[in-house]
Amino acid sequence: DVKVTQSSRYLVKRTGEKVFLECVQDMDHENMFWYRQDPGLGLRLIYFSYDVKMKEKGDIPEGYSVSREKKERFSLILESASTNQTSMYLCASSFLGGTGEETQYFGPGTRLLVL
Amino acid sequence: KNQVEQSPQSLIILEGKNCTLQCNYTVSPFSNLRWYKQDTGRGPVSLTIMTFSENTKSNGRYTATLDADTKQSSLHITASQLSDSASYICVVSDHYGGSQGNLIFGKGTKLSVKP
């Protein structure tokens, strides 16, 4: 079974703090993603990565950065947390199947509260 | 603009009843459509994935249909169980093969199954 784990299920931080959210997958997937999920807005893509040391901006990258130093690990960084970054953060990884279809596997999510 | 619209926004049914969730999309070009189930506080889990050449796919009590002409999909749940209570998210990809970067998410339908 594919396993995507996230370092914390719940996190409380103060405005201005630097926040690290870690994601690890154990299936040697090339692609990894960070989303945030807010009520009424659904899932929105923040950043994704196709390979080690590669990153691409998603739909809402402002206020975030990412790091992918190893294939299995993809980190989301909030340089200076703000209250509008209070959200549920979901990590996902994927591979490209033999038929060209891609399957994404999600982690359990990190619920971040910024005070 | 590529969009995925889901209806209803929320739904309450009695245990044992059937229900159908709808997904309409305006994504072009179309690659594939997936349905995810997301339990409260958890990450989404893939239920089905369909390409344009497939018009139905089942996963246990879940059956997804796709009409690529009208750009509509439905997820039918048979003999609902309490554990079916979750949000169901429709996701459409506009990318043929290659690495993903163009997944368009619906906002989900929240299903509550009551005893």
Side-chain angles (χ1 to χ4, degrees), chain A residues 9 31 33 35 37 40-43 45 48 50 59 88 90 94 96 100-109 111, chain B residues 9 32 34 36 38 41-46 49-51 54 57 89 96-101 103 105-107:
Chain A
R9 292 297 311 277
N31 310 320
F33 313 84
Y35 297 88
Q37 186 177 33
L41 296 177
L43 279 154
L45 181 64
F48 58 98
Y50 293 146
D59 299 321
M88 170 76 135
L90 287 159
S94 76
L96 198 61
E101 295 173 5
E102 181 192 11
T103 302
Q104 278 201 350
Y105 297 86
F106 285 86
R111 191 169 292 280
Chain B
Q9 194 170 28
N32 59 65
R34 322 120 189 262
Y36 283 90
Q38 184 178 21
R42 301 284 180 179
V45 174
S46 180
I49 178 168
M50 290 185 292
T51 62
E54 298 173 292
K57 186 168 276 191
I89 303 171
Y96 282 104
S99 296
Q100 87 87 36
L103 291 184
F105 287 80
K107 294 179 182 178

Side-chain angles (χ1 to χ4, degrees), chain B residues 35-107:
Chain B
W35 283 94
Y36 283 90
K37 178 187 179 189
Q38 184 178 21
D39 293 312
T40 301
R42 301 284 180 179
V45 174
S46 180
L47 292 175
T48 64
I49 178 168
M50 290 185 292
T51 62
F52 70 92
S53 60
E54 298 173 292
N55 55 21
T56 186
K57 186 168 276 191
S58 291
N59 178 358
R61 293 180 297 102
Y62 300 101
T63 299
T65 64
L66 174 65
D67 186 334
D69 291 331
T70 61
K71 298 188 177 182
Q72 295 179 326
S73 175
S74 64
L75 181 69
H76 187 75
I77 304 174
T78 304
S80 61
Q81 299 176 359
L82 298 179
S83 59
D84 293 330
S85 294
S87 288
Y88 292 84
I89 303 171
C90 176
V91 184
V92 179
S93 173
D94 69 353
H95 203 68
Y96 282 104
S99 296
Q100 87 87 36
N102 301 297
L103 291 184
I104 298 94
F105 287 80
K107 294 179 182 178

